[in-house]
Amino acid sequence: MTDARIFLSPPDVSDLERKLLLKAFDSNWVAPVGPDLDAFEDQVAELVGVRHAVALSSGTAALHLALIAAGVRRGDTVLVPSFTFAASANAVMYLGARPVFVDSTPDSWNVDPDLIADELASRAERGQLPRAVIAVDMYGQCADYEPLLTACDRYGVPLIEDSAEALGATYQGRAAGSFGLAGVLSFNGNKIITTGGGGMLVTDDGRIAKQARHLATQAREPVAHYEHRSVGYNYRLSNLLAAVGRGQVQRLEQMIAARRETFEFYRQALGDLPGMTFMPIADYGTPNYWLTCLLVDEGRDRIIAELARHDIEARPAWKPMHLQPVFQDCVMRGGDVSADLFHRGLCLPSGSALTARDRERVADVVRSTSKRGG
Ligand SMILES: *Cc1c(COP(=O)(O)O)cnc(C)c1O
């Protein structure tokens, strides 16, 4: 028997989710409304430690609605980490606003709080404050919220937390998603838990949750005929998918433990190789170990190609937004750190259903390729 393909971060679903999904199906709540949707929101709100959660069709939709809540409009600027997935910046563009990209710190690969503070200070002087700041919890590790929130509060600029990759992580004992005006979660197929596509906006602010719910359901006014006072979106999550989410949330702790074990295995197995450094884990919190990532001084692409030859999916770290053709006209603060992370960064298979044998297959290929190249 040949070994099965190893994916970077495939869905990990069990009999629990299957049962909940079929139960929802049989209940005929086959719509973007229903008891599973309500229960899933309650579970996640409790987990994140916030008052409100609004289940949506994607993390990108949650970002879009969070930016609307922050008051972002046409012509505004929003500070966004360059080192992120494109969705963080795309949501800014949907509103006709412009992202201003900010570099990362090598200490955690997250946005550099000093650069954010500098950019806010110089923009305040020019009378050009951004309407919002987006911080991203990269690869499952929280950004450094204490200095970020101090800088934002100083100028009265709201912070949006893109926690799409970080459900279950903490910063100074507080859960990812709970920082700033609103937090954004994703349940896309590759994330730490999945509904097969979905997202959530989490917030302590009841007005923001109410507005998000309203806009996500085509901005229908509460009257029998269809009455609309603003332009809405069709952004609600299906009750069927929420049923899957209910099961996934119950297994979150065990899935984080599995990913952490994988991280520790890779560090043991590869940490001694020359020219390889693992993504630093800052001492201010605990990550959810969504992806194990490392820097490879030489031969990163050769390793990815060799893994592919062995039917193993690995990827470079994110290509920064300031190097993307679509954002070539946007302003960038700094840039060397994120460019370096892109050129040397390697993400290894990290799914929570990865077996011990799978991890060994990955590590063997990385070790032998790295040795031959050295
Ligand atoms: C996945 C992801 C998103 C988008 O989430 P979707 O549910 O796929 O729309 C946004 N930001 C980051 C950092 C992500 O990794």
Side-chain angles (χ1 to χ4, degrees):
M1 199 184 94
T2 56
D3 286 314
R5 177 163 171 79
I6 299 177
F7 291 97
L8 188 73
S9 181
D12 172 8
V13 286
S14 73
D15 202 43
L16 173 63
E17 290 87 326
R18 189 169 187 278
K19 282 194 180 121
L20 287 164
L21 173 63
L22 291 175
K23 209 172 141 203
F25 182 90
D26 292 338
S27 77
N28 206 37
W29 285 102
V30 185
V33 59
D36 295 282
L37 197 61
D38 299 341
F40 184 40
E41 288 179 342
D42 290 347
Q43 273 178 311
V44 174
E46 192 184 329
L47 188 79
V48 176
V50 292
R51 287 200 197 92
H52 309 278
V54 183
L56 300 165
S57 52
S58 71
T60 310
L63 270 163
H64 187 185
L65 297 182
L67 289 167
I68 292 175
V72 175
R73 288 191 300 262
R74 184 163 298 282
D76 285 343
T77 55
V78 177
L79 304 193
V80 183
S82 182
F83 189 67
T84 184
F85 177 56
S88 317
N90 285 344
V92 175
M93 302 293 281
Y94 296 167
L95 290 164
R98 302 288 291 173
V100 166
F101 294 113
V102 179
D103 208 0
S104 291
T105 159
D107 301 342
S108 71
W109 302 11
N110 278 305
V111 75
D112 185 335
D114 291 336
L115 280 182
I116 292 279
D118 280 0
E119 185 64 18
L120 287 173
S122 76
R123 285 182 170 269
E125 230 162 69
R126 283 178 279 149
Q128 290 175 3
L129 276 173
R131 188 71 64 186
V133 171
I134 297 177
V136 182
D137 301 328
M138 193 41 57
Y139 296 129
Q141 171 164 243
C142 282
D144 194 355
Y145 285 106
E146 197 169 274
L148 283 172
L149 286 169
T150 302
C152 287
D153 288 350
R154 180 158 175 199
Y155 301 102
V157 176
L159 181 121
I160 305 292
E161 182 183 4
D162 180 348
S163 212
E165 302 172 4
L167 181 65
T170 64
Y171 174 84
Q172 293 180 358
R174 245 176 82 183
S178 68
F179 296 91
L181 190 68
V184 167
L185 304 172
S186 168
F187 312 120
N188 193 20
N190 61 343
K191 296 290 160 54
I192 189 115
I193 66 166
T194 185
T195 57
M200 217 175 267
L201 182 148
V202 286
T203 182
D204 268 331
D205 189 324
R207 279 168 316 173
I208 289 177
K210 195 171 164 207
Q211 181 195 37
R213 256 173 234 286
H214 178 65
L215 291 176
T217 46
Q218 307 281 24
R220 277 204 306 265
E221 294 299 324
V223 287
H225 66 264
Y226 288 93
E227 173 100 356
H228 306 271
R229 294 164 198 264
S230 45
V231 175
Y233 306 91
N234 184 2
Y235 274 174
R236 277 294 254 171
L237 184 70
S238 164
N239 188 67
L240 292 181
L241 302 183
V244 174
R246 287 181 68 183
Q248 289 268 290
V249 174
Q250 288 177 53
R251 296 177 51 230
L252 175 64
E253 226 173 287
Q254 133 202 358
M255 294 200 271
I256 292 174
R259 288 190 192 245
R260 182 189 175 127
E261 211 177 277
T262 293
F263 167 82
E264 275 159 8
F265 169 83
Y266 284 138
R267 211 167 47 174
Q268 280 277 320
L270 307 171
D272 62 327
L273 290 176
M276 285 206 188
T277 17
F278 280 74
M279 183 178 92
I281 306 294
D283 58 11
Y284 54 57
T286 51
N288 69 2
Y289 300 94
W290 176 54
L291 292 186
T292 295
C293 306
L294 52 154
L295 297 177
V296 182
D297 288 350
E298 261 167 59
R300 189 269 317 263
D301 291 337
R302 205 175 53 237
I303 292 174
I304 292 177
E306 200 58 21
L307 286 167
R309 220 171 56 78
H310 286 82
D311 222 5
I312 298 168
E313 183 189 23
R315 279 177 198 264
W318 301 123
K319 179 171 185 175
M321 293 307 113
H322 74 282
L323 301 177
Q324 298 284 1
V326 64
F327 296 121
Q328 63 187 359
D329 298 333
C330 294
V331 175
M332 174 68 193
R333 270 302 298 264
D336 293 349
V337 175
S338 51
D340 179 51
L341 295 176
F342 172 53
H343 287 120
R344 290 194 291 146
L346 171 67
C347 306
L348 292 177
S350 308
S352 43
L354 204 70
T355 64
R357 159 110 188 96
D358 291 338
R359 309 199 273 252
E360 272 157 27
R361 268 176 66 197
V362 176
D364 286 349
V365 176
V366 175
R367 278 194 84 87
S368 60
T369 313
S370 146
K371 288 230 167 89
R372 258 183 295 135

